[in-house]
Amino acid sequence: MAALVLFGGGGDLAMRMLLPSLYFLEHDGLLPDGLKIIGAARSEESRDEYVSKVRASVESKAKADDAWSPEAWARMEQRLDYLAVDATSAESLKPLKDKVGEGECTSFLAVSPSLYARIVTAMRAAGLAEPGDRVVLEKPVGRDLQTFSEIDDAVSDAFDEHQVFRIDHYLGKETVQNLIALRFGNTIFEPLWNNLSIDHVQITVGETVGVGDRWPYYDEYGALKDMLQNHMLQLLCLVAMEPPSDLDPDSVRNEKVKVLRSLRRITPEEAERVTVRGQYVAGKSEGEQVPGYDDERGLDSDTETFVAIRADIDNWRWAGVPFFMRTGKRLPEKRTEIVIQFKELPHSIFDNDRGQVTANRLVIELQPQEDISLSVMNKRPGLDQRMQLQPIRMSLSWGQDDKDAKPPRRRIAYERLLLDALNGDSTLFVRRDEAEQAWKWVDEVSQAWTDGNVKPIEYKAGTWGPGEADFLLERTGRAWNTKN
Ligand code: BG6
């Protein structure tokens, strides 16, 4: 019988995301028969205590989603077990190995990444890294290329690359996978998907939350390493990659690596021109007065809570097409979107005033809604002598052709990823060389900031970051997408 071990099984990630995701999979009958789920953490508690904690967390989430079923919970409860362990000690992991038994074991490390190297070493000694076993690593793995490599060397001493599943939860989001469907399941986009038709691409990940008590972690990372190195570069790769020959893990990841390799290096001389660092100060967020980052941190800090970057991909397809990315905490909206901005008409026959025709725009929204829409020009109905045009939005989302259909429940990204890891499918996971390339580029940005003495610029909580982020686009004659 197979087992899933959750190291850090009592922690925040496990309780908020992983165990509710497993419940939803159970509810839908998607968990493999006989799979055991074993929580492993430091705290000395009984199985019953653990199970009741899991139930409290799962039940509230499931009820909020109208998906609570006592029968599904009863099935999940049967699978659950708990063991108090020191995961860095092989000796302490032996009883865990006994619980796992002889079946294949997938271990999810939902613990501090500073422990990864020691844990995988202990797992190997305890027999939890056998050829059929797998390990799932939550981000962030390392703080830069060097620390990433140190951890990953220990991981690859214990596991082969095909057994390692590096999570980027953005890849589990439904719309992100839909982007793959949109690009490669249709013929109409591909001929336009290049520098002949596309003017630029924007990727925005806005969050209203502040850093709050996460600052001990955040202060070492900042927005560049917390969000851009992973989630945003992954989105960029999916937009920019060449069509893979199939959906095989390596086919897809080979293409993503090529994109990362083609990212133009940002030098200290250019850092000020193509990047913006920001840090929020006190202001109004969602109607409430909130403190600034330094007030939360209790000390002055040079960590950025906002970053905007112009990235250029030096290859045939994308030469001359800037990719603008921005992300930050305490922005006015929780909004994640990718905007593909097509070029202006080469010549308008409709009016002397070219402003009447707006260029096509494809907006792929991940949050708060999952939606894909394409803006196209349309004739305004009427008998005006000079034809009047107006832009309309065509929704390309699920359910458009059947308005009465009940939308499927919005899944937690971890549901897809846990299921794939259990099935050994690593297409939506990050390969070692991908993570290395992403770190390499981000390390250069970080170094350019140090060498160029680029410090965060203050922005008020509840605004879209420093004005310089708008200027990043304005000086090229462009603007960030406002609510579509
Ligand atoms: C995490 C970051 O990886 O992603 C957090 O560490 C961030 O800082 C979170 O808040 C955002 O995820 P989502 O799915 O809410 O957009």
Side-chain angles (χ1 to χ4, degrees):
M1 268 195 294
L4 172 66
V5 174
L6 302 178
F7 286 102
D12 188 57
L13 179 69
M15 287 296 169
R16 257 185 336 108
M17 297 288 174
L18 306 181
L19 288 152
S21 296
L22 290 164
Y23 166 81
F24 288 124
L25 294 174
E26 177 78 85
H27 179 272
D28 296 345
L30 296 171
L31 284 183
D33 285 344
L35 178 80
K36 299 182 237 180
I37 302 172
I38 308 172
R42 275 183 178 274
S43 87
E44 290 291 343
E45 59 187 7
S46 68
R47 175 187 179 269
D48 287 354
E49 284 168 319
Y50 182 66
V51 168
S52 63
K53 271 204 305 201
V54 175
R55 177 177 176 148
S57 150
V58 161
E59 190 172 344
S60 67
K61 209 142 190 145
K63 283 190 169 157
D65 268 358
D66 216 7
W68 175 248
S69 142
E71 296 76 39
W73 167 252
R75 292 198 304 274
M76 174 152 169
E77 188 177 352
Q78 288 224 314
R79 300 176 186 272
L80 282 171
D81 206 345
Y82 179 79
L83 195 69
V85 293
D86 169 3
T88 60
S89 142
E91 207 43 47
S92 168
L93 290 183
K94 292 253 164 73
L96 179 63
K97 170 67 186 169
D98 294 340
K99 265 194 195 294
V100 165
E102 287 314 307
E104 63 186 35
C105 176
T106 302
S107 298
F108 194 121
L109 305 195
V111 296
S112 164
S114 59
L115 300 173
Y116 285 176
R118 286 161 63 202
I119 294 180
V120 288
T121 309
M123 283 169 69
R124 182 182 173 201
L128 288 164
E130 298 299 308
D133 295 340
R134 303 181 185 116
V135 67
V136 185
L137 304 176
E138 182 57 42
K139 76 159 258 276
V141 184
R143 283 185 317 279
D144 50 26
L145 180 58
Q146 191 186 330
T147 47
F148 168 82
S149 304
E150 283 162 14
I151 296 171
D152 231 75
D153 285 348
V155 173
S156 54
D157 281 346
F159 292 93
D160 280 348
E161 179 62 25
H162 74 274
Q163 298 173 279
V164 183
F165 291 73
R166 294 178 198 82
I167 285 228
D168 185 307
H169 79 273
Y170 267 52
L171 295 179
K173 291 185 190 265
E174 193 66 23
T175 323
V176 174
Q177 294 159 64
N178 220 336
L179 172 60
I180 300 177
L182 185 85
R183 282 198 61 194
F184 306 122
N186 296 290
T187 52
I188 57 171
F189 294 110
E190 177 54 21
L192 305 176
W193 210 260
N194 54 44
N195 57 4
L196 298 178
S197 305
I198 293 178
D199 177 76
H200 74 277
V201 175
Q202 298 179 10
I203 303 176
T204 292
V205 182
E207 296 187 274
T208 50
V209 290
V211 174
D213 53 16
R214 281 180 83 216
W215 70 258
Y217 151 77
Y218 195 87
D219 210 51
E220 267 195 76
Y221 283 78
L224 177 70
K225 296 181 178 181
D226 181 49
M227 296 295 286
L228 200 130
Q229 187 272 343
N230 35 75
H231 307 322
M232 301 188 76
L233 285 183
Q234 284 295 325
L235 298 181
L236 175 140
C237 283
L238 293 176
V239 172
M241 71 182 183
E242 294 301 312
S245 55
D246 50 42
L247 272 182
D248 235 48
D250 281 334
S251 307
V252 173
R253 297 182 302 177
N254 287 343
E255 298 308 332
K256 289 200 286 172
V257 173
K258 285 185 208 158
V259 174
L260 293 166
R261 287 216 176 102
S262 313
L263 281 173
R264 188 181 305 162
R265 203 179 143 224
I266 292 177
T267 60
E269 296 70 47
E270 275 183 328
E272 200 104 45
R273 198 176 57 82
V274 297
T275 73
V276 178
R277 296 179 83 191
Q279 188 188 84
Y280 62 83
V281 294
K284 262 208 156 144
S285 170
E286 299 184 303
E288 275 187 30
Q289 186 64 28
V290 294
Y293 178 71
D294 276 350
D295 309 327
E296 288 169 337
R297 165 94 172 77
L299 273 177
D300 286 355
S301 159
D302 271 351
T303 299
E304 78 284 348
T305 60
F306 175 96
V307 60
I309 289 194
R310 172 194 165 131
D312 285 273
I313 300 174
D314 286 333
N315 64 18
W316 275 47
R317 187 186 283 264
W318 296 115
V321 181
F323 281 65
F324 296 103
M325 294 181 273
R326 66 173 167 170
T327 184
K329 304 280 186 204
R330 289 281 185 229
L331 301 188
E333 285 171 60
K334 168 103 181 151
R335 175 146 63 97
T336 305
E337 67 178 19
I338 303 169
V339 176
I340 313 291
Q341 179 63 59
F342 290 91
K343 291 197 166 166
E344 302 271 354
L345 291 182
H347 166 70
S348 175
I349 60 170
F350 295 104
D351 207 307
N352 290 333
D353 171 14
R354 287 190 66 213
Q356 205 200 100
V357 180
T358 49
N360 302 116
R361 179 173 272 200
L362 179 68
V363 179
I364 300 154
E365 187 177 332
L366 283 71
Q367 289 171 132
Q369 308 302 326
E370 291 179 339
D371 188 35
I372 302 183
S373 68
L374 178 65
S375 76
V376 292
M377 293 312 293
N378 199 264
K379 178 184 174 301
R380 190 179 299 161
L383 299 176
D384 304 285
Q385 275 224 304
R386 287 158 91 190
M387 195 191 288
Q388 298 292 311
L389 297 196
Q390 63 185 5
I392 57 158
R393 278 181 62 225
M394 288 168 55
S395 177
L396 308 182
S397 296
W398 186 92
Q400 285 316 299
D401 46 3
D402 182 1
K403 298 270 191 240
D404 296 330
K406 186 169 178 266
R409 181 178 60 79
R410 196 167 164 182
R411 290 189 180 275
I412 305 173
Y414 286 93
E415 292 178 51
R416 159 98 272 151
L417 298 174
L418 280 165
L419 197 59
D420 285 358
L422 288 169
N423 289 329
D425 181 349
S426 52
T427 305
L428 296 176
F429 294 82
V430 180
R431 205 169 58 189
R432 179 171 179 152
D433 53 349
E434 259 182 273
E436 282 170 350
Q437 284 301 324
W439 274 124
K440 194 164 168 239
W441 189 73
V442 160
D443 279 358
E444 282 167 356
V445 174
S446 187
Q447 192 59 46
W449 283 345
T450 310
D451 296 349
N453 200 23
V454 179
K455 301 274 184 225
I457 304 164
E458 292 182 354
Y459 64 97
K460 267 202 170 144
T463 65
W464 279 105
E468 283 75 357
D470 295 330
F471 192 51
L472 184 68
L473 273 74
E474 280 162 16
R475 61 166 185 263
T476 69
R478 301 172 171 109
W480 292 106
N481 186 37
T482 48
K483 192 79 193 150
N484 45 82

